[in-house]
Amino acid sequence: MSILIKGARVIDPGHLDDICDVLVANGRIEAVQPADTMQVSQDDMTVIDGRKQWLTPGLIDLHVHFREPGQEYKETILTGSQAAAAGGFTAVCTMPNTDPVNDDPAVTGLILEKARQAGLVRIYPVAAISKGLKGEQLCEYGELKSAGAIGVSDDGKPVINSRLMRRAMEYASGFGLRVISHCEELNLAAAGSMHEGPRATRMGLPGIPSAAESTMVMRDIELSRLTGVPVHIAHVSAKESVEAIRAAKSQGVAVTAETAPHYFTLTDEAVEGYNTNAKMNPPLREEADRYAIRQALAQGVIDIIATDHAPHAILEKQVEFDRAANGIVGLETALSLGLKLVREQLLSAEVLIERMAAAPAKFLGIEYGIRTGLPADLTLIDPDRNFTVQTGAFKSKGRNTPFGGMELTGKTMMTMVDGKIVYSEKSDNKS
Amino acid sequence: MKKDILDMDSLSVNEIHSILDMAVNMREISERPIKKVPTLRGKTVILFFYEPSTRTKLSFDIAAKRLSADSLSISGSMSSLVKGETLLDTAKNLEAMNPDIVILRHSYAGAPHFLARHLKASVINAGDGTHAHPTQALLDMVSVRQRKGSLEGLKVAIIGDIAHSRVARSNCVGFTKMGSQVTLAGPPTMIPQGIESLGVRVAPTVDDAIEGADAVMMLRIQKERQKDTLMSTEREYARYFGLNLKRLERAKPDVLVMHPGPMNRGVEIDPEVADGPYSIILDQVTNGVAVRMALLLLVSGGNRNVDSD
């Protein structure tokens, strides 16, 4: 069976941006041609009207927490995959801070088996840098790679020991594993629960200074310079980190970076009223930081938008602010918040898709694009669709978002993985 | 008046005026031979103290009893929190017992705000983490106003560990709102980032802050701060940041010396200052009962028509 997507604006960063018809058959892209020029027999074919919509390579999220194994009450690989598909993502990288930690090939294998059973989006597991995320002993990178891991990170925790981090980078490079760093100087972050600044002072909450992030970003840049091994900085939140990354890139250090939609959308103002749905690590910072993150996205200093999708149960958020869990869900709002940057003319449509699809694919070293012969991982987007964020309708088990009730414009209409439709807005609204 | 008294930010100038005025009336009740009026008979006040406190708890308890309310207290160690109950569940259970007023002391900032959102009863913040201690600020303001007539244009110095002081934060907001000029001083490790955004000045030295002051408020120094690397030794603290008679000479001749207690004599304040003629430290305690009586009365419906501006 084949699928023809007609009349959409096809955006394949660096290759194509035009109104085209795209034919998908046997899981692959069969043909891409200017609109209405394709000669096809309509038998046994599904036709999707793509007019006034964008057809892009499938979005890829380098940073999600699917909580399985161990905390299935927060999220499972199935519900996480459903949320990803609904958000327009065709692939995600799951972080290793599950229970047990993904520091063992058996856990990597379990995640991939659950992903296969879910049969929705591609899952690329990120394994731990150190055994048990303890920062003491390297994991068996060769075994983890063979089991299907694509990279290593102790995400959720920093690697405090600089020598261990150096060895991790060197050892990982030998197996072709990517190194993703959660940058946080724990002694500086101490018991902080929001960004250190005037607002934290007024609210009487212990602060996390920006330097807790930027000093570690600088360390990892220096380790990359020392070893020659590329390093990827996760969830950049502070302007000082942006400046460090900018300087490193201009000096040819192989550093890449991601930020999350909340960092380019919100500031610590969202914490007012002790809103635990605006509590995450790193924390929401000030307007100058938000501005720097936005400029960095436009200029390519930050390469990638990732969600840091971190579902929690309500009981972990309906508590005193200091005791509340860190993190928010992001898969089902990321694209809309990214499209807001396009509407605000900060990014072109092509650059947004670069940040959310092309750059992560290049980072993972996987095939992507809308060209004949490539796997049909595609996202159909209506950039003008208005909707209200209803957390009750999320596919994710997590409802922890500061964006609930917000009016947004732009939505996923259809998500396709390997030529199979894994999300369709039409059938979603019927059910 | 509002349902809840959570912090000084949420009180209007008019509301503060009416609380201070009411406190003056309440003080008179405490001076009678029979110190009890029937105003809040049949009302239930729960004193919910997750954090140890002697003076504030006693002050609220006396205030409630002098107004004939039934007051009961729950402490952190006996509360269900120790047994793993969440604050939300505790709140729901309290609600089910129909209290009229809940007084909360909690070690986390924002806990009273959280409770207030889930309770029909009035919530009065008796101190939340390092955030706010509005009843302390109000009693400080009553004490200063009693001596100076007005708070307008006064120079108030607050000295010590501002970063960890809910008393300092509430007083910065409160006194500034009522037209005083507040100056802070202390070791830079104890001055939190961006405190100037409360409309106060940070002085480079304690002497500078005290210069020409109408009131000097000393904050308690906790020994644990040494571990936090916020100070070196108590000895050095006393020498450079403590209040002694010599240092006090820089203030106005009729300066008021204040301390929220409990004091570390010989550390942040010399005994001769604490017990000297400028000290109004015990007035503060007396006014504490009066302010809390005023608040219990106001949140119970007395004078509800005060504007919130």
Side-chain angles (χ1 to χ4, degrees):
Chain A
M1 203 193 89
S2 50
I3 298 173
L4 179 66
I5 303 157
K6 279 181 70 76
R9 175 181 169 189
V10 176
I11 305 173
D12 183 5
H15 297 285
L16 180 64
D17 186 350
D18 210 346
I19 308 292
C20 291
D21 292 347
V22 174
L23 180 66
V24 172
N26 304 317
R28 297 207 165 243
I29 294 166
E30 190 88 355
V32 182
Q33 285 184 21
D36 301 321
T37 61
M38 211 178 282
Q39 303 293 318
V40 285
S41 94
Q42 305 263 332
D43 297 344
D44 192 26
M45 178 189 289
T46 307
V47 179
I48 295 173
D49 184 358
R51 283 174 300 171
K52 297 183 180 162
Q53 296 168 68
W54 300 353
L55 186 68
T56 72
L59 307 182
I60 298 171
D61 189 348
L62 285 192
H63 200 127
V64 302
H65 298 270
F66 278 0
R67 308 299 188 199
E68 190 175 1
Q71 292 185 308
E72 290 83 357
Y73 70 98
K74 297 188 187 201
E75 192 83 289
T76 63
I77 287 168
L78 176 61
T79 58
S81 299
Q82 288 166 339
F89 293 94
T90 57
V92 298
C93 295
T94 52
M95 288 296 146
N97 59 343
T98 46
D99 182 18
V101 169
N102 183 11
D103 60 4
D104 187 289
V107 179
T108 310
L110 174 93
I111 292 168
L112 288 171
E113 174 56 21
K114 293 278 181 180
R116 194 192 59 76
Q117 287 168 15
L120 294 167
V121 301
R122 299 179 198 271
I123 289 185
Y124 298 103
V126 174
I129 286 176
S130 65
K131 265 289 182 196
L133 307 174
K134 290 199 179 97
E136 290 164 2
Q137 184 196 338
L138 296 182
C139 299
E140 296 172 322
Y141 293 174
E143 303 287 340
L144 289 162
K145 166 87 176 184
S146 303
I150 55 91
V152 289
S153 176
D154 270 359
D155 186 67
K157 290 182 179 172
V159 177
I160 292 290
N161 182 329
S162 302
R163 188 164 55 99
L164 184 80
M165 187 63 178
R166 171 197 178 163
R167 296 307 180 205
M169 290 167 70
E170 291 169 337
Y171 195 55
S173 73
F175 292 106
L177 286 168
R178 292 301 204 158
V179 179
I180 300 169
S181 181
H182 168 112
C183 292
E184 182 183 11
E185 214 290 302
L186 286 180
N187 285 306
L188 271 177
S193 62
M194 73 175 285
H195 170 64
E196 179 173 323
R199 200 175 299 276
T201 291
R202 238 176 319 118
M203 294 179 70
L205 287 170
I208 303 170
S210 293
E213 174 180 293
S214 61
T215 54
M216 279 302 233
V217 169
M218 291 173 201
R219 181 201 70 173
D220 288 344
I221 285 168
E222 290 313 310
L223 291 179
S224 174
R225 201 195 308 266
L226 172 68
T227 59
V229 177
V231 67
H232 179 72
I233 309 295
H235 43 58
V236 173
S237 71
K239 61 180 188 301
E240 293 81 359
S241 308
V242 168
E243 288 320 308
I245 293 162
R246 187 195 308 278
K249 284 189 165 185
S250 73
Q251 293 158 11
V253 179
V255 57
T256 52
E258 73 190 31
T259 191
H262 37 280
Y263 300 120
F264 63 69
T265 308
L266 302 174
T267 65
D268 62 354
E269 193 182 350
V271 178
E272 284 292 346
Y274 301 92
N275 179 7
T276 56
N277 279 333
K279 182 180 177 185
M280 71 282 292
N281 186 23
L284 295 171
R285 300 197 188 269
E286 296 174 39
E287 181 53 35
D289 298 287
R290 192 180 80 107
Y291 179 82
I293 298 278
R294 292 162 66 95
Q295 295 306 309
L297 273 173
Q299 296 157 354
V301 173
I302 293 178
D303 310 81
I304 288 166
I305 296 172
T307 65
D308 199 0
H309 178 82
H312 289 293
I314 195 155
L315 62 99
E316 285 145 341
K317 286 290 193 180
Q318 272 207 359
V319 291
E320 300 90 324
F321 193 87
D322 281 282
R323 293 171 47 131
N326 277 312
I328 64 170
V329 291
L331 284 167
E332 293 168 80
T333 47
L335 173 63
S336 309
L337 294 167
L339 286 165
K340 202 158 174 271
L341 302 182
V342 177
R343 297 178 78 82
E344 291 165 357
Q345 299 189 317
L346 181 80
L347 306 183
S348 65
E350 187 181 359
V351 169
L352 177 69
I353 302 309
E354 171 76 28
R355 303 277 177 266
M356 295 188 78
K362 279 178 225 160
F363 177 82
L364 295 173
I366 56 178
E367 288 183 307
Y368 76 99
I370 305 185
R371 294 187 297 288
T372 305
L374 289 175
D377 283 15
L378 300 167
T379 303
L380 187 66
I381 300 163
D382 182 346
D384 300 313
R385 172 70 76 95
N386 295 311
F387 72 105
T388 306
V389 179
Q390 288 173 320
T391 55
F394 278 174
K395 308 283 181 217
S396 169
K397 286 190 183 182
R399 302 286 184 261
N400 48 311
T401 171
F403 300 113
M406 192 182 265
E407 305 277 335
L408 290 175
T409 303
K411 204 173 183 305
T412 304
M413 303 309 289
M414 187 271 297
T415 309
M416 180 185 284
V417 177
D418 260 344
K420 180 183 142 198
I421 294 174
V422 293
Y423 173 79
S424 155
E425 204 267 347
K426 275 195 188 114
S427 50
D428 190 33
N429 274 356
K430 262 183 235 155
S431 64
Chain B
M1 189 59 59
K2 301 186 157 56
K3 170 180 156 295
D4 310 298
I5 307 293
L6 300 176
D7 46 43
M8 295 306 293
D9 307 70
S10 53
L11 289 174
S12 70
V13 170
N14 284 343
E15 284 169 326
I16 294 172
H17 269 305
S18 67
I19 295 165
L20 301 186
D21 292 344
M22 182 75 89
V24 174
N25 298 334
M26 292 298 113
R27 199 164 53 210
E28 186 265 324
I29 296 172
S30 297
E31 289 158 1
R32 296 177 192 171
I34 309 283
K35 306 176 189 60
K36 201 174 181 95
V37 292
T39 325
L40 294 188
R41 202 167 51 196
K43 301 277 185 190
T44 307
V45 176
I46 296 181
L47 305 174
F48 197 3
F49 280 63
Y50 272 97
E51 225 184 32
S53 150
T54 310
R55 154 185 350 226
T56 306
K57 191 161 143 190
L58 190 61
S59 181
F60 267 111
D61 203 5
I62 291 175
K65 290 194 161 75
R66 289 197 178 153
L67 293 170
S68 302
D70 297 314
S71 60
L72 312 109
S73 76
I74 320 170
S75 69
S77 55
M78 67 190 262
S79 83
S80 314
L81 185 71
V82 180
K83 300 169 196 160
E85 187 173 80
T86 65
L87 185 57
L88 182 60
D89 282 333
T90 307
K92 285 178 177 166
N93 279 281
L94 283 179
E95 185 78 26
M97 296 183 232
N98 287 316
D100 298 285
I101 301 172
V102 176
I103 318 286
L104 181 70
R105 157 73 58 100
H106 201 289
S107 51
Y108 290 126
H113 304 67
F114 178 84
L115 203 64
R117 278 199 294 272
H118 292 99
L119 285 186
K120 284 201 270 305
S122 289
V123 174
I124 299 179
N125 182 2
D128 63 325
T130 57
H131 174 230
H133 196 346
T135 62
Q136 176 73 41
L138 288 163
L139 73 87
D140 289 337
M141 292 157 80
V142 169
S143 305
V144 173
R145 203 181 70 162
Q146 187 180 4
R147 301 290 181 125
K148 302 285 181 191
S150 160
L151 302 176
E152 187 80 39
L154 294 185
K155 287 188 70 176
V156 179
I158 306 178
I159 316 290
D161 186 1
I162 312 295
H164 294 88
S165 177
R166 52 191 171 213
V167 175
R169 277 180 185 71
S170 283
N171 271 312
C172 285
V173 177
F175 275 96
T176 304
K177 227 172 211 180
M178 304 312 281
S180 306
Q181 294 166 351
V182 177
T183 305
L184 309 176
T189 48
M190 296 180 175
I191 305 292
Q193 236 193 49
I195 189 79
E196 297 87 349
S197 68
L198 297 181
V200 301
R201 181 174 80 91
V202 177
T205 62
V206 173
D207 285 347
D208 180 298
I210 292 176
E211 193 74 46
D214 295 284
V216 178
M217 189 182 300
M218 301 308 293
L219 300 174
R220 175 180 166 77
I221 281 300
Q222 289 172 296
K223 222 184 156 90
E224 305 93 271
R225 299 304 168 216
Q226 231 166 305
K227 268 185 285 166
D228 294 351
T229 66
L230 294 177
M231 59 186 255
S232 54
T233 59
E234 287 185 352
R235 196 184 73 86
E236 180 165 273
Y237 188 91
R239 177 154 179 201
Y240 291 91
F241 305 99
L243 188 63
N244 50 40
L245 278 180
K246 174 126 185 31
R247 198 159 256 157
L248 201 56
E249 282 169 16
R250 297 172 171 273
K252 292 233 177 85
D254 58 347
V255 66
L256 305 175
V257 172
M258 307 167 77
H259 194 297
M263 284 186 280
N264 288 306
R265 289 168 177 267
V267 184
E268 72 267 7
I269 189 162
D270 259 20
E272 53 186 355
V273 176
D275 304 326
Y278 307 108
S279 170
I280 58 164
I281 294 171
L282 294 176
D283 284 10
Q284 289 175 271
V285 179
T286 306
N287 284 324
V289 175
V291 156
R292 287 165 183 133
M293 286 170 77
L295 289 171
L296 291 174
L297 204 58
L298 288 167
V299 298
S300 306
N303 210 4
R304 282 254 187 192
N305 49 2
V306 175
D307 297 344
S308 318
D309 62 13

